[in-house]
């Protein structure tokens, strides 16, 4: 731990003891808690419900690297054989032979780790003291996980943070060749995992180091423990050694046993299209398209062609793409230069880096880092030496060759690792300042933060100096000054002002926060290595690479054809299937999701059932179109109140009366059908289901002395004095307005995680009586729930509106209740600097009479519905139900969810409604267990035709109490009567009551 962090810890202990900071006036202590004392830590939760912190600060790999920078790199090696473990803690594994299905390669006596979790311990003998890197020989096993993640401990201790999340690449390929549909548009192939033995060095997945990870090992006997929650691979060996040095070009050329000289190489140019890549390390590396110009190969002004690869998704460290140069495509044996037509249009002023391997090895230094400079157009990048001369590789014509490009950070990686540490320190000091001043300091108060945090001014000066050095380095890389490093400049100026006038530090607090956010965003953008490839070319020494530009007249003709083609294009219709008997399906999501549905329908459903289906992309307007008799036969991903409102008007088919209904609903949690039920019928099947869970910062809560996240609402209340004394708080779900009528979302009053709904459900009570003719808001349970809900905003001063992501990332809100799928993915993708510092669990619960705790919460959901109008078609209802059963089946839902995540990355992870499907998506086993535990406690609030009144009046009652200081009980009773009057009026209007 750095010295300034130790001082901070000592200071923090003083803060917690109450000797420095008073309790803010806004924070009333919980019942039974004395003012000025820290709340007792909440009881530690059991492992199956999550919430335990178990946080121990680890050195970063950057600190570890600097610590052992001068250590020896022994010219020695030792090998860990996967099968030779001394201790195993794993449910599913075996030792034996394993065959890679892609190339039928076989390895004998290997560890077959065919499960997500487990741990294996090995005893190794280190021949010499020093730093070692690890070369793994392994075969990925097809599974639901998108990566292989390992933690490596030496003698029971993980040496640094990155060692706890090392990754091994999986291997993906196109499921099939790129096809053309009946409309003349190409169909993007799905990405599927494949199994093939490979050997590679374990690199830095954070994208800060070009070299493989290093481990300092003392000479002698040690225990190496490998553990994982995302395993599924066969392990042959881990070789601890030094990576081979890449030779210079002259050494490479001299070492090649070439039968043909450069001058004698047959003349020719070979092109390999980028979209024809054979292997990728990530499912998001699928073929992409750009039909904006005729210069791209191939191009079509009227139809969609997948003609590039990497657009928008080839930017993370260690991602690789491999192309094959097929046997006999070369004009003959000889020396060839490599050119890549590519575009890097995201990092203005910088270049993106790739390491290029030919047949599995880097030929020379020139291939070890190839730079692709910023340009809005595609340009030809050739592999050259420092003098700008092309370098060559020797290839034989009678055999296959591979070209692999790997994303690496290049020179900017060193600056990024320094900035990582700086942002972490800045967040820490920002949080310490807020603990003294609060988030909105009084400009007339002298807080003397530089005296209460003695090292603050010195640390700001140190950070400012480091930022200046980093800024200079980045500007030298960009070969320009100004916008490329403006975020660093702004941060440095503010820190200098703080150091010059320490009393004014609180005045700059909001600017410090803004610039930390800006700096974090800049780092996230510029640590990526984006690249889009059109094609690769191999040319003999006597040939020049063809021009990558299109001629003027060709470009003009192409643009005109694109313009005229737009007149006839139907952008909502994805299928060419027509006919009076075709089932018309509307998909209320994005184009990628609708395209995935269409691909599944054409490749599987229609082949199996021979039922014509037309898939259309429609966002909103389903109700209006249906009432105008122009609606669909089947609607997918329709949510909120729409199914029940449509059913109340006799527009939907009751699927509970269909053959096979009971079987298809077995895959859902017991209450999943509630949002689709109305007056004894069920009018849809659930597709997605997401609900609120509690996210917590392990590091911040541990600093405050807590051993676990809160299990109950009372635990949360008991924690508030310690949080609010340090000007922190918790964030709860509070929709500001009702959902827009045109959006397929649940109404605000029943939004998942709304505190009132959760509190009421946890008391064993729902919103309505059994007949759904009145609300239950006049009961003691409802009144108690409403009072506790409003107390959070009156007594405990919770914010009604806040930026959950930003405040959780800075640590100001170490506890946030939010949608589990969206927030989890957002933190994983957009906040890498706090990776490993947070966890998630079920929302706080309510203790029951028997001592158990209910964590009941309701969900947001979307589903699939059938419209009665389909009965007008021949066998229409039967065919529509067949389609619905097929699409909602676990097998198809897994395939759909996998494809969507493959297309959109982790942010597109599918929030499935099926318990069976969830375990087969890309969650780790630990994550899936936590989610399933929370899912098991879901309780749903029925949708009624008058739900809009419930939404409006609950929120009105809340605002009357919180904003106008009205009495909670009296206010709720008033609105309870108003709601019941509207329910009665609506039921009479629909003919349900006389």
């Amino acid at each position: 731990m750095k010295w300034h962090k130790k001082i901070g810890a000592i200071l923090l202990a003083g803060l917690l003891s109450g000797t420095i900071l008073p309790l803010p006036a806004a924070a009333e202590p919980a019942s039974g808690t004395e003012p000025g004392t820290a709340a007792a830590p909440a009881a530690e939760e059991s492992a199956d419900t999550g919430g335990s912190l178990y946080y121990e600060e680890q050195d970063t790999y950057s600190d570890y690297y600097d610590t052992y920078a001068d250590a020896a790199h022994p010219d020695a090696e030792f090998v860990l054989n996967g099968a030779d473990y001394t201790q195993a803690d794993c449910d599913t594994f075996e030792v034996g032979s394993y065959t890679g299905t892609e190339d039928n390669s076989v390895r004998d006596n290997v560890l077959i780790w065919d499960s997500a979790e487990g741990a294996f311990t090995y005893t190794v003998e280190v021949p010499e003291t020093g730093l070692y890197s690890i070369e793994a020989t392994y075969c990925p096993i097809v599974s639901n996980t998108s990566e292989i993640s390992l933690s490596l401990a030496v003698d029971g201790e993980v040496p640094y943070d990155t060692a706890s999340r090392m990754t091994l690449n999986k291997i993906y390929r196109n499921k099939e060749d790129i096809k053309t549909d009946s409309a003349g548009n190409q169909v993007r192939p799905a990405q599927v995992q494949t199994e093939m033995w490979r050997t590679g060095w374990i690199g830095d997945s954070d994208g800060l180091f070009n070299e493989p990870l290093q481990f300092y090992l003392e000479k002698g006997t040690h225990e190496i423990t490998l553990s994982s929650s995302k395993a599924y691979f066969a392990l042959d060996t881990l070789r601890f050694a030094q990576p081979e040095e890449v030779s210079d070009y002259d050494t490479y050329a001299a070492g090649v046993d070439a039968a043909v000289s450069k001058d004698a190489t047959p003349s020719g140019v070979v092109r390999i299209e980028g979209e024809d890549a054979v292997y990728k390390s990530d499912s998001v590396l699928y073929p992409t398209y750009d039909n904006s110009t005729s210069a791209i190969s191939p191009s079509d002004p009227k139809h969609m062609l997948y003609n590039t690869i990497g657009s928008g998704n080839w930017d993370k460290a260690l991602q690789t793409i491999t192309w094959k140069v097929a046997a006999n495509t070369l004009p003959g044996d000889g020396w060839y230069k490599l050119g890549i037509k590519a575009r890097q249009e995201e990092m203005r002023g910088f270049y993106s880096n790739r390491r290029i391997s030919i047949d599995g090895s880097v030929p020379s230094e020139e291939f070890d880092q190839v730079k692709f400079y910023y340009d809005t157009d595609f340009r030809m990048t050739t592999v050259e030496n420092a003098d700008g001369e092309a370098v060559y590789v020797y290839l034989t014509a009678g055999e296959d060759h591979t070209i692999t490009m790997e994303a690496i950070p290049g020179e900017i990686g060193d600056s990024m690792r320094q900035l990582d540490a700086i942002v972490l320190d800045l967040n820490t000091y920002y949080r310490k300042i807020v603990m003294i001043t609060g988030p909105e300091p009084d400009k007339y108060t002298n807080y003397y933060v530089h005296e209460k945090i003695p090292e603050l001014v010195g640390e700001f000066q140190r950070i400012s100096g480091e930022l200046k050095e980093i800024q200079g380095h980045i500007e030298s890389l960009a070969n320009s000054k100004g916008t490329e490093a403006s975020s660093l400049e702004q941060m440095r100026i503010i820190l200098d002002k703080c150091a010059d006038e320490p009393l004014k530090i609180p005045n700059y607090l909001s600017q410090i926060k803004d610039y930390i956010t800006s700096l974090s965003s800049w780092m996230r953008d510029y640590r990526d290595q984006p690249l889009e490839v059109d094609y690769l070319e191999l040319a003999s020494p006597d040939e020049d690479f063809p021009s990558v530009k299109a001629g003027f007249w060709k470009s003009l003709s192409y643009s005109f054809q694109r313009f005229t083609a737009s007149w006839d294009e139907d952008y909502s219709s994805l299928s060419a299937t027509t006919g009076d008997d075709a089932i018309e399906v509307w998909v209320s999501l994005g184009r990628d999701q609708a395209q995935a549905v269409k691909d599944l329908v054409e490749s599987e459903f229609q082949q199996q059932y021979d039922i014509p289906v037309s898939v259309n992309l429609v966002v909103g307007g389903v109700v209006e179109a249906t009432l105008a008799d122009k609606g669909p036969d089947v609607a997918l991903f329709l949510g909120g109140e729409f199914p029940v409102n449509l059913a109340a008007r006799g527009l939907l088919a009751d699927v509970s009366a269909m053959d096979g209904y009971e079987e298809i609903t077995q895959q859902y949690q017991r209450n999943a059908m509630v949002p689709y039920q109305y007056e004894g019928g069920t009018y849809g099947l659930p597709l997605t289901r997401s609900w609120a869970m509690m996210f917590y910062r392990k590091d911040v809560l541990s600093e405050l002395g807590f051993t676990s996240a809160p299990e109950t609402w009372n635990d949360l209340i008991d924690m508030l004095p310690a949080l609010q004394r340090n000007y922190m708080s918790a964030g709860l779900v509070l929709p500001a307005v009702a959902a827009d009528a045109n959006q397929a979302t649940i109404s605000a009053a029943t939004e998942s995680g709304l505190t009132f709904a959760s509190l009421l459900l946890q008391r064993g009570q729902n919103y309505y009586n059994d007949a759904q003719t009145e609300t239950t808001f006049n009961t003691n349970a409802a009144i108690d729930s409403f009072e506790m809900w409003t107390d959070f905003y009156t007594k405990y001063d919770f914010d009604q509106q806040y930026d959950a992501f930003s405040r959780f990332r800075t640590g100001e809100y170490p506890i946030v209740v939010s949608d589990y799928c969206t927030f989890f993915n957002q933190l994983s993708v957009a906040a890498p600097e706090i990776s490993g510092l947070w966890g998630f669990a079920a929302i706080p619960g309510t203790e029951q009479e028997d001592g158990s705790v209910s964590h009941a919460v309701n969900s947001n959901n979307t589903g699939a519905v059938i419209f009665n109008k389909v009965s007008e078609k021949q066998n229409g209802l039967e065919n529509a139900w067949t389609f619905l059963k097929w699409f909602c089946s676990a097998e198809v839902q897994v395939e759909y969810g996998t494809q969507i995540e493959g297309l959109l990355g982790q942010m597109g992870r599918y929030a499935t409604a099926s318990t069976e499907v969830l375990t087969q998506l890309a969650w780790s086993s630990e994550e899936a267990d936590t989610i399933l535990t929370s899912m098991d406690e879901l309780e749903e609030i029925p949708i009624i035709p008058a739900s809009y009144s419930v939404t409006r009046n609950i929120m009105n009652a809340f605002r009357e109490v919180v904003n106008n200081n009205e009495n909670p009980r009296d206010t709720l009773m008033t609105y309870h009567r108003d709601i019941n009057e509207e329910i009665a009026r609506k039921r009479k209007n629909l003919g349900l009551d006389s």
Side-chain angles (χ1 to χ4, degrees):
M1 183 185 294
K2 294 183 178 179
W3 65 269
H4 59 271
K5 292 183 180 178
K6 292 183 179 179
I7 293 176
I10 294 171
L11 175 68
L12 189 56
L15 298 178
L16 293 177
S17 68
T19 59
I20 297 179
L21 295 178
L23 182 68
E28 294 190 14
S31 176
T33 303
E34 293 296 328
T37 61
E44 190 169 310
E45 291 191 40
S46 58
D48 60 341
T49 58
S52 297
L53 301 182
Y54 297 114
Y55 173 73
E56 182 178 351
E57 185 178 6
Q58 285 184 319
D59 285 340
T60 65
Y61 179 55
S62 183
D63 289 339
Y64 183 89
Y65 181 89
D66 292 338
T67 300
Y68 294 103
D70 298 327
H73 292 75
D75 186 16
E77 67 176 63
F78 62 95
V79 176
L80 180 157
N81 292 301
D84 294 340
Y85 58 85
T86 56
Q87 182 179 341
D89 181 13
C90 185
D91 293 334
T92 306
F93 75 97
E94 59 181 294
V95 172
S97 299
Y98 199 82
T99 303
T101 56
E102 182 69 17
D103 59 357
N104 291 319
S105 56
V106 183
R107 298 268 178 158
D108 297 322
N109 195 35
V110 301
L111 172 67
I112 305 171
W113 196 340
D114 194 12
S115 62
E117 296 180 309
F120 295 88
T121 299
Y122 301 83
T123 300
V124 297
E125 192 69 28
V126 179
E128 295 182 36
T129 299
L131 289 166
Y132 294 84
S133 295
I134 304 176
E135 185 182 52
T137 299
Y138 69 99
C139 179
I141 297 175
V142 174
S143 68
N144 64 306
T145 59
S146 57
E147 65 181 9
I148 301 167
S149 179
L150 289 175
S151 175
L152 186 146
V154 180
D155 297 326
E157 183 177 349
V158 179
Y160 48 84
D161 59 352
T162 310
S164 66
R165 43 187 167 82
M166 303 185 305
T167 60
L168 300 177
N169 284 339
K170 288 207 164 188
I171 303 173
Y172 290 82
R173 61 173 175 80
N174 293 349
K175 184 177 181 180
E176 54 194 3
D177 292 337
I178 298 176
K179 300 185 301 183
T180 301
D181 63 18
S182 54
N185 296 311
Q186 287 189 343
V187 178
R188 177 186 287 145
Q191 303 301 297
V192 295
Q193 296 179 25
T194 189
E195 300 180 359
M196 183 168 62
W197 283 99
R198 69 184 308 272
T199 299
W201 295 92
I202 298 179
D204 173 30
S205 58
D206 292 336
L208 302 177
F209 292 83
N210 295 302
E211 304 85 9
L213 296 177
Q214 297 178 346
F215 295 84
Y216 181 78
L217 299 172
E218 299 278 357
K219 179 180 180 179
T221 303
H222 295 276
E223 282 192 342
I224 303 292
T225 301
L226 301 177
S227 57
S228 179
S229 60
K230 292 182 180 180
Y232 291 108
F233 70 107
L235 176 62
D236 186 3
T237 61
L238 295 180
R239 185 172 74 95
F240 290 73
Q242 308 305 321
E244 297 80 4
E245 289 189 11
V246 179
S247 65
D248 58 45
Y249 178 65
D250 291 338
T251 302
Y252 161 74
V256 173
D257 184 15
V260 178
S261 67
K262 290 181 183 177
D263 294 338
T265 299
S267 179
V269 177
V270 176
R271 176 176 295 185
I272 306 106
E273 295 290 346
E275 64 274 15
D276 291 336
V278 288
Y279 302 121
K280 310 96 181 239
S281 64
D282 199 314
S283 62
V284 300
L285 301 179
Y286 45 75
T288 51
Y289 69 90
D290 185 335
N291 295 346
S292 61
T293 172
S294 60
I296 298 175
S297 172
S299 59
D300 188 312
K302 298 182 179 180
H303 301 104
M304 181 181 293
L305 295 184
Y306 289 97
N307 48 12
T308 66
I309 194 168
S311 176
N313 47 33
W314 190 17
D315 53 12
K316 297 295 185 287
L318 308 184
Q319 285 183 325
T320 63
I321 298 180
T322 298
W323 293 267
K324 180 181 289 185
V325 184
N328 300 320
T329 57
L330 293 171
D333 296 355
W335 295 85
Y336 293 89
K337 55 189 174 184
L338 176 63
I340 302 123
K341 182 184 175 185
R343 176 171 60 188
Q344 191 279 101
E345 61 175 348
E346 297 181 33
M347 298 170 63
R348 181 182 295 274
F350 285 90
Y351 49 83
S352 186
N353 300 283
R354 292 296 182 272
R355 176 180 290 134
I356 300 179
S357 302
I358 308 295
D359 294 333
S361 63
V362 180
S364 64
E365 293 173 344
E366 291 78 6
F367 288 84
D368 200 42
Q369 183 185 353
V370 179
K371 301 175 181 178
F372 296 84
Y373 289 89
Y374 173 83
D375 200 323
T376 56
D377 294 325
F378 282 89
R379 61 191 293 182
M380 180 62 76
T381 298
T382 58
V383 184
E384 300 174 337
N385 61 20
D387 297 326
E389 300 171 340
V391 298
Y392 298 83
V393 291
Y394 187 80
L395 299 173
T396 54
E399 57 184 285
D400 292 341
H401 297 279
T402 59
I403 301 174
T404 299
M405 295 174 62
E406 176 187 9
I408 60 172
E411 291 86 353
I412 203 172
D414 188 58
S415 294
M416 288 300 169
R417 74 183 184 91
Q418 292 177 272
L419 287 173
D420 252 7
I422 286 174
V423 169
L424 187 62
D425 288 343
L426 287 172
N427 267 324
T428 299
Y429 287 114
Y430 169 77
R431 197 162 62 240
K432 288 180 180 180
I433 295 170
V434 169
M435 289 177 178
I436 298 171
T437 67
E440 298 178 359
D442 181 357
K443 64 181 179 180
Y444 299 110
T445 301
N446 288 330
Y447 292 92
Y448 297 99
V449 296
H450 61 293
E451 295 180 3
K452 296 175 181 178
I453 311 175
E455 79 278 14
L456 184 62
V457 172
E459 283 299 288
F460 277 4
Q461 291 172 334
R462 173 188 66 83
I463 293 172
S464 175
E466 291 181 2
L467 285 173
K468 185 174 182 179
E469 291 181 8
I470 296 169
Q471 181 182 351
H473 180 240
I474 288 174
E475 288 175 343
S476 69
L477 293 179
N479 198 27
S480 67
K481 294 185 178 181
T483 58
E484 282 73 27
S486 60
S487 295
L488 281 72
E489 174 78 11
Q490 292 166 342
M491 188 78 252
R492 187 170 62 81
I493 290 173
I494 289 297
L495 294 179
D496 287 343
K497 289 181 179 179
C498 291
D500 292 340
E501 299 181 275
L503 284 175
K504 292 186 177 180
I505 290 177
N507 297 343
Y508 297 121
L509 191 60
S510 63
Q511 291 174 280
I512 291 174
K513 179 182 178 181
D514 290 342
Y515 289 146
I516 291 175
T517 301
S518 176
L519 184 57
S520 298
S521 177
W522 183 90
M523 288 173 55
R524 187 169 62 249
D525 292 339
Y526 279 82
R527 79 191 296 170
D528 289 345
Q529 298 293 317
L531 192 67
E532 181 180 10
V533 173
D534 185 4
Y535 56 76
L536 299 83
E537 288 184 331
L538 291 165
S540 58
D542 63 325
E543 290 279 1
D544 293 328
F545 293 110
S547 173
V548 299
K549 304 295 184 182
F552 172 77
W553 293 111
K554 184 177 180 180
S555 297
L556 182 62
S557 172
Y558 186 87
S559 299
F560 181 75
Q561 291 179 72
R562 287 191 69 208
F563 173 67
T564 56
S566 65
W567 297 345
D568 301 323
E569 183 71 20
D570 183 358
Y571 293 98
S572 64
S573 179
L574 301 178
S575 299
T577 304
T578 58
D580 294 337
D581 294 331
I583 304 300
E584 188 170 354
V585 176
W586 283 15
V587 180
S588 300
L589 285 177
R591 189 173 188 88
D592 282 321
Q593 290 91 332
Q595 185 68 45
V597 173
K598 178 245 187 188
D599 294 344
L600 286 170
V601 167
E602 291 184 350
S603 63
E604 297 185 20
F605 179 76
Q606 292 184 165
Q607 304 297 324
Q608 182 177 353
Y609 295 99
D610 194 28
I611 296 175
V613 173
S614 175
V615 179
N616 300 275
L617 169 62
V618 180
V619 180
V622 175
V623 174
E624 294 84 349
T626 301
L627 294 176
D629 199 29
K630 295 185 180 297
D633 300 317
V634 173
L636 302 181
F637 303 104
L638 190 68
E641 300 174 5
F642 290 130
V644 165
N645 281 331
L646 290 169
R649 290 157 178 80
L651 298 174
L652 297 184
D654 181 1
V655 298
S656 64
M658 306 287 190
D659 182 46
Y661 170 79
E662 294 296 334
E663 289 77 5
I664 195 69
T665 57
Q666 293 301 310
Q667 63 178 315
Y668 302 117
Q669 188 257 4
R670 62 188 185 282
N671 296 312
M673 308 308 298
V674 171
Y676 306 94
Q677 292 174 341
Y678 173 72
E679 293 295 310
T682 303
Y683 296 91
L685 294 177
L687 293 173
T688 68
R689 201 177 183 202
S690 60
W691 58 93
M693 295 184 70
M694 176 181 63
F695 292 80
Y696 54 91
R697 285 287 297 270
K698 299 177 183 179
D699 55 336
V700 177
L701 293 182
S702 294
E703 286 175 2
L704 295 176
F706 296 103
T707 59
S708 69
E711 183 179 5
T712 67
W713 296 105
N714 288 333
D715 289 340
L716 175 61
I717 291 171
D718 289 343
M719 294 173 73
L720 290 178
L723 291 175
Q724 294 181 332
R725 185 181 302 110
N726 295 293
Y727 293 101
M728 298 179 186
S729 189
L732 304 180
V733 174
L734 181 68
V737 295
D740 187 89
N742 292 322
Q743 294 180 343
T745 55
I746 206 76
S747 60
T750 53
E751 181 166 332
S752 175
L754 184 72
T755 309
F756 173 64
S758 299
L759 288 168
L760 190 57
L761 294 172
Q762 290 171 7
R763 285 168 167 78
Q765 185 170 305
N766 214 298
Y767 272 21
Y768 310 107
N769 59 16
D770 291 341
Q772 298 179 9
T773 57
E774 292 184 345
T775 69
T776 61
F777 297 159
N778 60 342
T779 63
N780 288 334
I783 293 170
D784 290 344
S785 299
F786 187 75
E787 288 182 342
M788 178 176 273
W789 178 34
T790 54
D791 281 351
F792 281 120
Y793 300 90
T794 54
K795 289 185 178 180
Y796 302 110
D797 201 30
F798 277 31
D799 285 340
Q800 294 188 41
Q801 294 182 330
Y802 63 98
D803 183 346
F805 174 73
S806 295
R807 295 203 179 185
F808 187 80
R809 185 169 67 175
T810 62
E812 293 174 83
Y813 278 27
I815 298 172
V816 166
V817 175
S818 188
D819 178 87
Y820 88 89
C821 194
T822 302
F823 204 62
F824 182 98
N825 294 333
Q826 187 179 19
L827 291 174
S828 299
V829 173
E833 71 273 14
I834 60 171
S835 176
L837 303 183
W838 57 272
F840 71 124
I843 68 168
T846 302
E847 188 170 353
Q848 309 297 294
E849 292 183 358
D850 61 1
S852 63
V853 176
S854 169
H855 296 275
V857 64
N858 61 314
S859 71
N860 300 334
N861 47 77
T862 65
V865 301
I866 299 174
F867 289 82
N868 281 328
K869 59 171 286 190
V870 74
S871 299
E872 300 170 5
K873 298 180 178 180
Q874 183 177 2
N875 299 322
L877 185 59
E878 180 183 348
N879 290 345
W881 174 238
T882 299
F883 171 80
L884 220 62
K885 286 193 298 181
W886 168 83
F887 188 72
C888 294
S889 67
E891 181 182 0
V892 174
Q893 284 292 287
V894 169
E895 191 169 358
Y896 172 80
T898 302
Q899 285 193 25
I900 291 303
E901 184 163 355
L903 290 171
L904 305 179
Q906 185 170 342
M907 288 302 294
R909 183 166 296 174
Y910 190 48
T912 178
S914 168
T915 57
E916 187 177 341
V917 173
L918 190 142
T919 59
Q920 299 180 61
L921 297 179
W923 301 101
S924 71
S925 56
E926 182 180 357
E927 293 162 356
D929 288 344
T930 302
I931 296 169
L932 286 172
T933 299
S934 180
M935 178 189 271
D936 190 52
E937 296 206 52
L938 288 181
E939 297 287 344
E940 297 297 351
I941 297 171
I943 304 297
I944 63 173
S947 284
Y948 60 86
S949 176
V950 182
T951 294
R952 181 175 64 241
N953 286 293
I954 286 179
M955 298 311 298
N956 287 343
F958 171 85
R959 294 188 178 95
E960 287 283 338
V961 173
V962 175
N963 299 337
N964 299 330
N965 298 314
E966 297 292 340
N967 180 276
R969 177 185 294 268
D970 295 344
T971 302
L972 185 62
M973 290 300 97
T974 299
Y975 283 103
H976 162 72
R977 289 190 292 270
D978 291 346
I979 293 170
N980 287 340
E981 288 176 4
E982 181 63 16
I983 292 175
R985 188 194 71 79
K986 195 68 176 179
R987 290 180 62 85
K988 184 176 181 181
N989 178 265
L990 293 172
L992 299 175
D993 294 330
S994 57

